[in-house]
Amino acid sequence: MLSTALTNALQTQIGYEFSASQTYLGMAAYFHAQNLDGWAKFFERQSAEEREHALKIFHYLLETGSPAKLPIIPEAPVEYRSALETVEKSLEQEQKVSQAFKDMAAIALKEGDYTGFGFLQWFIEEQVEEEATFERLIALVKSGINLFQAEALLPQ
Ligand code: FEO
């Protein structure tokens, strides 16, 4: 059984992960509407990954005998001003998530929950990759490249 503080934080995080999944799906819709199918598929894959993250936490709560919770997910936009806005908002979102996992790791250590601390390491490492992905995409869009040509350079 996890500590109450870590359980609460993980329950909240499930909401953030589903919310990120929904946000990325909205971005996929935005790109799809412009026939930028490569960008749309990239954001759909991101959306699926975030759902996987939510499920990973969900299963961890169940496996540790902790109560699962499914927070309300806010509506996600499907319109943006530009491709740059989508990748900048994505990086911002990932940075918040990275901080949330670091805060949870601090809670786990404070509570002496070394199993929980170990579980959180996977996410902390994953976040390094996610932030780097969006930093590269911001640079790609800022280079002024045609967005159709940029599709060949998107992460698979
Ligand atoms: Fe699951 Fe990219 O945070």
Side-chain angles (χ1 to χ4, degrees), residues 5-130:
L6 190 56
T7 301
N8 289 343
L10 286 170
Q11 289 170 339
T12 302
Q13 190 63 31
I14 288 178
Y16 291 158
E17 299 292 340
F18 276 128
S19 174
S21 176
Q22 177 116 314
T23 298
Y24 287 143
L25 206 52
M27 290 177 180
Y30 164 74
F31 283 109
H32 185 81
Q34 300 172 71
N35 295 315
L36 287 161
D37 292 347
W39 284 91
K41 285 203 169 68
F42 165 76
F43 277 105
E44 266 188 54
R45 285 195 296 277
Q46 287 300 121
S47 173
E49 266 189 33
E50 298 303 345
R51 186 172 188 278
E52 285 299 313
H53 296 171
L55 289 178
K56 204 172 166 80
I57 300 169
F58 176 76
H59 289 134
Y60 186 68
L61 287 173
L62 297 186
E63 276 165 19
T64 54
S66 312
K69 198 171 160 188
L70 297 169
I72 292 171
I73 309 303
E75 186 174 346
V78 293
E79 284 176 16
Y80 290 89
R81 284 191 300 273
S82 63
L84 184 59
E85 189 186 12
T86 66
V87 286
E88 283 181 340
K89 279 201 186 301
S90 298
L91 177 61
E92 211 176 286
Q93 175 171 269
E94 295 299 343
Q95 285 168 336
K96 280 187 194 150
V97 168
S98 299
Q99 192 54 53
F101 278 111
K102 285 176 193 164
D103 292 346
M104 280 186 269
I107 293 173
L109 279 186
K110 189 166 160 251
E111 308 270 344
D113 180 351
Y114 299 107
T115 310
F117 182 77
F119 171 72
L120 293 164
Q121 295 313 299
W122 183 89
F123 288 95
I124 290 171
E125 281 166 27
E126 173 81 2
Q127 284 307 118
V128 172
E129 194 188 308
E130 304 235 310

